[in-house]
Amino acid sequence: MAQWEYAPAPESREIARLRESYGMFVDGSFGAGGETLKSVNPATEEVLAEVAVAGEADVDRAVAAARRAYEQVWGPMPGAERAKYLFRIARIIQERARELAVLETLDNGKPIRESRDVDVPLAAAWFFYHAGWADKLEYAIPGRPDPRPVGVAGQIIPWNFPLMMAAWKLAPALAAGNTVVLKPAETTPLTALVLAEICQQADLPPGVVNVLPGAGPTGAALARHPGLDKVAFTGSTDVGREIQRTLAGTGRRLTLELGGKAANVVFDDAPLDQAVEGIVNGIFFNQGHVCCAGSRLLVQESVHDEVVEKLQRRLGTLRMGDPMDKNTDLGAINSAEQLARVRELSDIGEAEGAHRWSPACTLPDRGFWFPPTVFTDVAQSHRIARDEVFGPVLAVLTFRTPAEAVEKANNTPYGLSAGVWTEKGSRIFWMTQQLRAGVVWANTFNKFDPTSPFGGFKESGFGREGGRHGLEAYLD
Ligand code: NAI
Ligand code: MG
């Protein structure tokens, strides 16, 4: 039988307006640093650009600039005026959406379909939503009629949603009247620096937003800086713990959004084809580099074989490869380090006795690639069922009764998200009450909205982002 093939549909990289080098953004202007880092396209291993690395002195300068801007300009400014800047930033993100999407895909390795349809629109939506709050803060939190900004915030973000994470952090902080020093991740600094340029383009007063690229040492220098009033961190649980230790006893405020090992629970009455789409979206969206990924599939025993078979058939149709191609479903793993981690945990999964399966697929010769992988015959004690893989790897477990589903779903040190698939509305409500997870999706997965709070329990961190709860983290 003849096979239909998709014609290549690559997005043009010219749109990214890639420059050879990018500076750090302090007090309203871009400048070089001593050292530089190279940002790489993980799909090809090609160096995209050299980026200035911020050192201790740069952190000092940025925090001082943010303090000045907070005291002299941004803090005293009426909320209605701050709102105008946020609306302007949101509109410029929309105007430059294609450029940002292509740049994100080049720097991160995620499919252009996702950066175009998810990351960039959500980044704009975050600014629009919070712009609307800037002059209504006295209504944001019941019983707090006169909320004040916290002051200067240090924000550290990861590489999985570089622009979107920057927007999640910046928009509520700025709406509430705080100023910010933001550190993007070392493997994906480019879109945060274009966002800094957008702040310039929006005439945001100097010092309100500062962006300091660099790796762990830059982040650590920022987190421990005594000039901050608040630290917000998204990333690994280990680094989150370290930051919490650093801040203990200082009186500085902290919010942490850390890892996850979400259960996606499929009951036997669920619409199974729809559930399979949700399972695929839950774990293979963004190559599984998602803190709230549905990485543990809990299937009711009676439909286990049927679900696994449908899932495998569906995975055979996923298209993996050039992230710039508009037909691509699965892009590259973000870095060699992350690929090594995904490989290691998958090898351990096999060694511990789980059954490993991937669809037949050819991986590109260059770049960092890992096929969509499903583990069945998984026990709760297996590391593949306990550790956050942060890659395209699904562990399938079974249950017989709703009570067993709940017990297994909650049997994790994390508590960020969960999914429930069933026809029964009453069971959905019962499950959401039992599950220790910040977000529970019902008959869907990985849905994000600026009006909806997002955040974890237990080792997934504390504090919420989005909605009024997210604003509260930036109000005194
Ligand atoms: P990471 O936690 O090291 O990196 C996140 C951010 O923290 C980056 O901007 C990094 O430069 C910065 N950072 C690193 N060390 C720091 C320090 N000592 N003080 C302050 N900032 C510091 O995460 P990494 O190494 O990229 O990934 C390792 C694992 O962490 C992943 O496999 C995944 O399991 C988890 N992770 C979870 C994320 C989430 O969204 N919850 C995001 C990224 C990673
Ligand atoms: Mg990169």
Side-chain angles (χ1 to χ4, degrees), residues 38-42 48 106-108 186-190 334:
K38 291 181 167 61
S39 204
V40 167
N41 178 348
L48 292 170
L106 288 172
D107 203 16
N108 170 281
E186 54 272 37
T187 58
T188 56
L190 301 184
N334 182 251

Side-chain angles (χ1 to χ4, degrees), residues 259-262 295-296 341 345 349 352 378-390 395 397 407-408 410-414 458-459:
K261 191 74 187 175
S295 51
R296 279 186 303 150
R341 204 183 136 77
L345 280 166
E352 286 186 334
V378 177
Q380 288 189 87
S381 56
H382 289 165
R383 280 188 61 194
I384 206 83
R386 312 191 64 81
D387 291 8
E388 181 176 52
V389 180
F390 223 63
L397 298 104
E407 197 171 315
K408 284 186 168 165
N410 287 338
N411 182 16
T412 165
Y414 295 112
K458 301 193 279 185
E459 289 189 20

Side-chain angles (χ1 to χ4, degrees), residues 411-429:
N411 182 16
T412 165
Y414 295 112
L416 193 53
S417 65
V420 180
W421 297 83
T422 172
E423 288 262 284
K424 262 203 182 116
S426 59
R427 185 180 281 157
I428 290 171
F429 286 117

